[in-house]
Amino acid sequence: MVAFTLLPPTLMEPNPGKFRILSLDGGGIKGAFSVSFLSTIEEMTGKNIIDHFDLITGTSTGGIIAIALAMGIPAVDILRFYRERGPHIFPVTGLHRRLGSLMHWMIKSKYSSTILRTELESILGDRKFGEAKCRLVIPSFNADNGDVYLFKTAHHPRLKQDYKLPAVDVALATSAAPTYFPAFTGHNGLTYVDGGVWANCPVTVGIVEAISFLDMKREKLEVLSIGTTCTPFSLSQLQRTLGGLLWNTGIIGLQMQAQAASAIAQAKVLSGGRLVRIDVPAKPKRFSLDDSRKIGELVALGATEARHRENEISTKFLGSPAPQFIPIYK
């Protein structure tokens, strides 16, 4: 049994100077863009991203990256995971099998949560969520009572449970995207679905956590928010007048884009404008949440954007390491 006790205030205090937040959007296999960006920044600067942030929040694929980073796994190894294991999680099939898969998708989830668990275990192993070297806030959704759920490391006296969970379970809970994967039932008996249903861009989640739980002043906040590519939304002439299937084909993308736009606008206000947003536009239908054939293109986009933005990222976020995070338990 792990004894839970408060540490002296000096050890509970976050960075007395800047408080740096990293936010990672959801987006399925498009997370290859985000982790490629981070991996290239690490390669160019020789610095580990995890050493320079006080709090990381991530949803779905962003949650997986956030957890892996916080466990001390280098971004280049997480990128390798996306390259090598992404096609196993989101397998590409031929036309005949795709037609059969479409019929299957109408009554069951499109992909296997068993395969996803196995692949996540290959990188996260049997680590506990509480082994994180940085504060984490990982959005999910409680499908039993219809309420939001946040998995958090023990960075506040009230946070006494989540740190005991397997890291893989938290990763599965945040990434159980409806229709793509089955809902995830944890050891506590609760059922979760993807945090992207309410916080696909979790940047305001991180800011609110810093202000409300850690009592940080907003003038101390420096926020880096990384997307997974975006496609400007516009209504087709048919969608203006018809509904049903024509809307259904693009509704997920629309919801993700609208939520991200709202979250970023609010984050700019809450942070006093100290927000850097990394994302690149893509042509409609160029990328999708589960098209693993495009991993190489996503990686190239992430690396290119990192080369363009490295000086800005280094200046604002990588100047000095963050104080060591010490959870408030022994």
Side-chain angles (χ1 to χ4, degrees):
M1 177 67 68
V2 177
F4 196 96
T5 183
L6 295 186
L7 291 174
T10 54
L11 294 182
M12 291 174 59
E13 275 294 311
N15 189 349
K18 293 181 179 179
F19 189 85
R20 288 162 287 190
I21 300 171
L22 174 61
S23 172
L24 300 168
D25 285 16
I29 201 62
K30 295 193 297 178
F33 167 84
S34 312
V35 74
S36 175
F37 179 90
L38 294 171
S39 176
T40 304
I41 292 293
E42 288 193 344
E43 180 184 4
M44 294 180 72
T45 62
K47 298 178 179 179
N48 294 324
I49 292 294
I50 187 63
D51 295 335
H52 293 80
F53 285 88
D54 299 281
L55 183 149
I56 305 178
T57 182
T59 299
S60 194
T61 194
I64 292 171
I65 297 169
I67 294 168
L69 286 171
M71 296 299 156
I73 300 172
V76 66
D77 291 343
I78 307 172
L79 177 59
R80 186 180 301 113
F81 169 78
Y82 272 75
R83 281 184 177 277
E84 296 178 359
R85 311 318 299 171
H88 293 268
I89 298 169
F90 298 111
V92 177
T93 58
L95 177 60
H96 176 73
R97 292 191 63 185
R98 283 202 299 271
L99 292 174
S101 296
L102 180 61
M103 297 296 295
H104 173 88
W105 195 14
M106 290 182 178
I107 56 175
K108 296 187 70 175
S109 299
K110 191 174 183 180
Y111 299 106
S112 167
S113 59
T114 301
I115 292 175
L116 178 59
R117 172 180 280 279
T118 299
E119 300 301 349
L120 289 174
E121 287 174 344
S122 74
I123 189 169
L124 296 176
D126 60 357
R127 295 178 177 91
K128 296 294 185 183
F129 191 58
E131 294 180 45
K133 304 177 188 301
C134 180
R135 299 170 187 83
L136 286 173
V137 183
I138 307 297
S140 186
F141 189 81
N142 185 333
D144 291 321
N145 64 8
D147 197 5
V148 301
Y149 195 97
L150 293 168
F151 292 93
K152 302 181 184 183
T153 48
H155 51 257
H156 187 277
R158 288 167 51 187
L159 306 175
K160 302 180 180 181
Q161 293 295 322
D162 293 345
Y163 76 90
K164 304 172 186 176
L165 297 173
V168 166
D169 282 11
V170 179
L172 288 167
T174 190
S175 60
T179 76
Y180 289 92
F181 293 103
F184 171 74
T185 301
H187 290 91
N188 56 8
L190 296 179
T191 301
Y192 305 94
V193 296
D194 196 308
V197 300
W198 70 276
N200 197 65
C201 174
V203 62
T204 53
V205 171
I207 293 174
V208 169
E209 188 73 13
I211 293 173
S212 63
F213 268 76
L214 298 172
D215 199 28
M216 294 302 303
K217 304 300 181 184
R218 71 175 194 164
E219 56 267 21
K220 290 187 176 183
L221 302 182
E222 295 286 349
V223 186
L224 174 59
S225 172
I226 303 179
T228 56
T229 76
C230 57
T231 301
F233 180 83
S234 62
L235 284 172
S236 68
Q237 191 60 45
L238 280 174
Q239 285 172 320
R240 293 170 194 266
T241 56
L242 300 178
L245 183 61
L246 288 173
W247 264 104
N248 291 341
T249 55
I251 196 67
I252 294 178
L254 170 60
Q255 290 175 329
M256 290 170 61
Q257 182 178 334
Q259 190 275 325
S262 172
I264 293 164
Q266 294 174 63
K268 288 179 179 178
V269 174
L270 290 171
S271 66
R274 287 174 293 278
L275 168 69
V276 175
R277 174 67 173 175
I278 303 295
D279 210 0
V280 296
K283 293 181 179 179
K285 299 183 180 181
R286 180 180 180 184
F287 302 119
S288 66
L289 277 70
D290 62 341
D291 189 354
S292 57
R293 297 171 300 178
K294 302 296 182 66
I295 292 175
E297 294 179 40
L298 289 160
V299 170
L301 278 178
T304 299
E305 189 67 8
R307 287 191 287 270
H308 291 326
R309 306 291 293 271
E310 181 272 326
N311 184 63
E312 179 185 13
I313 299 303
S314 292
T315 300
K316 292 188 175 182
F317 299 100
L318 306 183
S320 60
Q324 181 185 3
F325 166 51
I326 303 177
I328 52 174
Y329 62 82
K330 278 187 178 180

